[in-house]
Amino acid sequence: MIAFVMTLFTLAIPGWASAVVTVDFSRGEIRELASLEREGAVYVMAAELAGLFSGKLSWSPEKRKLVVNLGEGDIVFMADNPYAMAGQTDINLILSPFLENGNLYVWLPGLAPWLDTLLPERLTWDAEKRTLYVKSSDTLIRRFSVEEK
């Protein structure tokens, strides 16, 4: 169903092809994300990706800015700007997010390493298989301190 809807959607976007990205969770769950591809670059909807990790969204249409709250911090995207903020760190996504039909699309291979820093899960992108592997962490240490005795 996702592929069918994306095929209809991409007919209106010259140069783009619909694709499906697989998200493989280590706990056995597999999800599919509708995506767009052009010249080997795979983009996914930021809101759909955030939904996989229970992210909260805040959209500012006048600034064309999307704030995604994930676990330990926020990622701030702006349409047509290859730079984003992950927590307090400036990141270069290399390829700019873009708006299409009210959705912000982000280049997944450039984003996956930064998601890995904000989530307790370990993320790995396999470009050949178009699969994002999500490995749950067995142990999670959010904060620690060392004291001299």
Side-chain angles (χ1 to χ4, degrees), residues 26-45:
S26 63
R27 60 182 184 264
E29 180 182 359
I30 294 180
R31 296 264 199 79
E32 290 184 341
L33 295 177
S35 63
L36 295 175
E37 180 180 356
R38 181 170 60 189
E39 298 174 6
V42 178
Y43 288 81
V44 296
M45 283 187 272

Side-chain angles (χ1 to χ4, degrees), residues 4-143:
F4 174 73
V5 171
M6 286 305 294
T7 300
L8 291 176
F9 173 72
T10 56
L11 291 176
I13 307 173
W16 289 94
S18 64
V20 174
V21 168
T22 302
V23 182
D24 187 343
F25 291 88
S26 63
R27 60 182 184 264
E29 180 182 359
I30 294 180
R31 296 264 199 79
E32 290 184 341
L33 295 177
S35 63
L36 295 175
E37 180 180 356
R38 181 170 60 189
E39 298 174 6
V42 178
Y43 288 81
V44 296
M45 283 187 272
E48 191 175 2
L49 183 62
L52 290 176
F53 304 103
S54 302
K56 296 177 183 148
L57 306 172
S58 175
W59 172 248
S60 174
E62 64 279 352
K63 293 181 181 177
R64 298 167 41 110
K65 177 172 85 171
L66 178 69
V67 178
V68 179
N69 178 267
L70 293 171
E72 292 293 309
D74 294 338
I75 298 182
V76 181
F77 302 101
M78 293 185 70
D80 303 318
N81 184 344
Y83 295 95
M85 288 284 289
Q88 297 299 317
T89 306
D90 288 328
I91 60 174
N92 184 350
L93 299 172
I94 302 169
L95 298 177
S96 297
F98 66 91
L99 282 172
E100 189 63 48
N101 292 338
N103 293 304
L104 185 72
Y105 286 83
V106 295
W107 185 53
L108 188 54
L111 179 59
W114 296 104
L115 287 175
D116 192 48
T117 65
L118 294 175
L119 295 167
E121 295 90 353
R122 292 288 132 226
L123 305 179
T124 308
W125 170 247
D126 184 333
E128 186 177 319
K129 294 181 180 179
R130 283 197 186 112
T131 300
L132 180 65
Y133 293 97
V134 182
K135 183 175 187 229
S136 296
S137 178
D138 294 332
T139 305
L140 177 61
I141 300 173
R142 295 260 185 220
R143 294 190 178 108

